[in-house]
Amino acid sequence: DPAFVARSRRDVTERLTEWGLDEAVFTTELVVSELITNAIQHAAPPIQLRLIHDHSLICEVSDASSTAPHLRRARAFDEGGRGLLLVARLSQRWGSRQTTEGKTIWSEQTLPVGLSAVFPDLGRPDLG
C-alpha cells in the first residue's frame, strides 16, 4: 500500500523527535521514503522499517524479495531510477544483506555533534 510511505515518514518524525534528533528528520524522511517506495515497487511484502540510534542513525527496510538492489543512472526524462542514488548521497554508508526471509537494505547517517550524539540514550523511552 503506497500509503505506508506517508505513515512511515510520520512515524520516523515522531521517533526522531522523541530521541531529540530533530536535525535529522528531513534527511531521514527522504531516505525512508526512497527505501520504502523501492520495496513497494520492486519487492514483496511484508515490508518492515526499523530505526537504530547509536553513534549514528541506521534506517533498515526489509522485504521478502531476495533480489539485490543496484544503483542505476536515470536519464534526464526518466520518472524514476534515482532512489538509491539519492540514498547513497544522503548517507555515510548504505548496503544490503540477505536474510532468511528476503533482504534488508540499510542506510547509515552521521549525526551532528550535540547532546544526541554524545548521549545516544538520551530520550530513548525503552531505556528509562
Side-chain angles (χ1 to χ4, degrees):
D1 180 6
F4 185 59
V5 177
R7 188 170 51 245
S8 296
R9 288 174 66 112
R10 282 192 306 272
D11 292 346
V12 163
T13 299
E14 288 175 14
R15 180 53 51 107
L16 293 181
T17 299
E18 288 173 10
W19 287 344
L21 299 175
D22 296 309
E23 66 276 4
V25 167
F26 180 75
T27 300
T28 307
E29 280 186 338
L30 285 174
V31 168
V32 165
S33 291
E34 293 300 331
L35 294 179
I36 290 178
T37 299
N38 282 349
I40 289 170
Q41 292 177 344
H42 305 291
I47 298 170
Q48 299 176 331
L49 168 64
R50 183 168 83 151
L51 296 177
I52 303 167
H53 175 215
D54 193 19
H55 299 294
S56 61
L57 180 63
I58 299 172
C59 302
E60 295 184 340
V61 174
S62 301
D63 61 62
S65 171
S66 61
T67 304
H70 62 279
L71 287 173
R72 68 180 188 112
R73 293 215 179 263
R75 295 182 302 249
F77 297 105
D78 288 347
E79 290 187 24
R82 295 173 186 82
L84 284 179
L85 182 59
L86 182 61
V87 169
R89 299 278 182 179
L90 294 172
S91 305
Q92 178 183 358
R93 301 181 308 149
W94 77 277
S96 68
R97 66 180 179 275
Q98 296 296 315
T99 66
T100 56
E101 296 84 27
K103 71 174 172 303
T104 297
I105 302 175
W106 56 269
S107 165
E108 181 179 3
Q109 300 171 54
T110 303
L111 296 173
V113 176
L115 283 180
S116 60
V118 176
F119 301 104
D121 296 336
L122 186 65
R124 285 186 55 187
D126 57 327
L127 295 176

